[in-house]
Amino acid sequence: MARNHVLKQALAATGLTVADLAERCEVDAKTVERWVSRGRVPHPRSRVRAAEVLGEDVGVLWPEVVRRAVKTGTDRELVGIYPRRADLPRPVFREAIERANSRLWFGGYTSYFVWLEVPGAVTTLAAKASAGADLRFLLGDPDSPVTAERDRVEATPLTLATRIAMTRAEIAKADAAIPVRRSDRHIAMSVWVFDDEAIVATHIGAGLGQDSVTLHLRRAQDGGAFDRYVEHFESLWADGKPADPQD
C-alpha cells in the first residue's frame, strides 16, 4: 500500500509525532506508523478520533473511505455510534465544548458526568456564557414521580435527585448567568448540542446513563437527524419549568 502523505503532512502541521497521535487515539504507535507508511486505513473509531486530533476531516485524511462508501442517505450526519456512553472517547465531549462558540445546550437528565470528565468545565462554560454563547441546562425534575420511578429501576445509592443537585451546585459556581430549566420528558434520552455537533444518549433497560447507546452527529443538511434532535431539545426547553423563580 502507498504511504499516506496527507496524514504525514497533517502530523507535521500540528507538530505531533506518531507516538503522540497513538496516545491520543489510544492505540499502539506501530499501528499509527502503519497508517502513515503503509497507507493502512484505521478502524472507524480511530479514524474519527485521529481526524479530531489533527483538525482535519476523515475524508481528507482517508479519501478512499469516502470513495468506497459515500454517505448520501439519512445517516450521513452520523460521525460515530457507541454501544455505551462510556465508550465515547473522553476528549470528544470536552473538545466539542471547547469548539462551540454560539450554542451549548446540555439536555442530560443530570449531566453529572460533565464535572467528572471535563477538566475545568465550570470555568470554560462561564467564559463561553460571558462571551455571548447561548448556554442552557435542561435537567430532570428531582420532585417528579418519573424521576422516583427511574431511581427505583436504577437502584443506585447516588440517586438522580442527588446528581441533579450536584450539577446545580457546579453551575452555581460559574461567574455568569446560566439558565436552568427542569423537565421529566427526557428521562430516557439525553441530547447535548454544541454549535453544529450533537451527542445523543438513549437509555437501555435499567442501565445508568453511562450504559446508554450514544450517537455523535454533525449537521450536514436541513431537516436531518441533527435538526430533529435540536427541535426535540427546543420543545422540551419551551415546556420546561425554570429551576429558580427568577429564571
Side-chain angles (χ1 to χ4, degrees):
M1 294 184 181
R3 176 183 291 270
N4 189 329
H5 293 287
V6 176
L7 179 56
K8 183 178 180 181
Q9 291 170 0
L11 280 167
T14 56
L16 296 176
T17 66
V18 165
D20 293 333
L21 184 58
E23 182 179 357
R24 300 283 289 276
C25 294
E26 299 179 353
V27 298
D28 189 88
K30 292 182 179 179
T31 297
V32 176
E33 178 58 38
R34 287 192 287 269
W35 298 350
V36 177
S37 63
R38 300 174 62 181
R40 290 283 180 86
V41 178
H43 293 297
R45 176 175 174 175
S46 295
R47 287 200 298 267
V48 171
R49 179 65 191 132
E52 290 175 338
V53 170
L54 297 172
E56 293 284 358
D57 290 333
V58 171
V60 171
L61 297 174
W62 293 283
E64 62 271 37
V65 173
V66 178
R67 288 194 294 268
R68 288 202 304 260
V70 175
K71 287 191 173 183
T72 58
T74 55
D75 67 337
R76 69 193 184 105
E77 296 186 316
L78 184 63
V79 177
I81 182 169
Y82 304 90
R84 297 171 179 80
R85 197 194 69 216
D87 296 327
L88 182 76
R90 183 168 293 188
V92 170
F93 208 94
R94 172 178 56 80
E95 291 172 2
I97 291 174
E98 292 174 350
R99 282 192 294 267
N101 294 309
S102 61
R103 172 171 59 186
L104 297 94
W105 294 353
F106 292 79
Y109 209 75
T110 73
S111 287
Y112 169 68
F113 73 97
V114 172
W115 321 108
L116 302 178
E117 299 181 7
V118 180
V122 172
T123 301
T124 299
L125 295 179
K128 299 281 184 180
S130 297
D134 180 3
L135 182 58
R136 311 180 195 177
F137 273 84
L138 181 70
L139 299 174
D141 184 345
D143 301 321
S144 168
V146 173
T147 302
E149 174 58 18
R150 184 65 197 182
D151 271 330
R152 185 193 67 79
V153 172
E154 292 186 356
T156 178
L158 193 61
T159 65
L160 289 168
T162 299
R163 282 174 269 165
I164 291 168
M166 294 177 78
T167 288
R168 293 289 311 280
E170 291 296 323
I171 294 171
K173 296 176 184 177
D175 187 21
I178 299 176
V180 180
R181 293 189 183 180
R182 297 178 295 161
S183 173
D184 61 14
R185 291 173 52 200
H186 60 309
I187 187 70
M189 182 171 70
S190 297
V191 178
W192 298 275
V193 181
F194 307 108
D195 286 354
D196 284 345
E197 287 186 80
I199 297 170
V200 180
T202 56
H203 277 182
I204 296 295
L208 299 175
Q210 65 186 10
D211 296 319
S212 302
V213 174
T214 301
L215 310 178
H216 181 195
L217 303 170
R218 185 171 289 118
R219 191 179 191 279
Q221 60 188 322
D222 292 338
F226 176 91
D227 283 355
R228 295 301 309 280
Y229 282 121
V230 167
E231 291 169 4
H232 172 70
F233 182 98
E234 289 177 322
S235 174
L236 296 179
W237 183 261
D239 292 341
K241 304 173 185 177
D244 295 309
Q246 64 270 25
D247 290 343

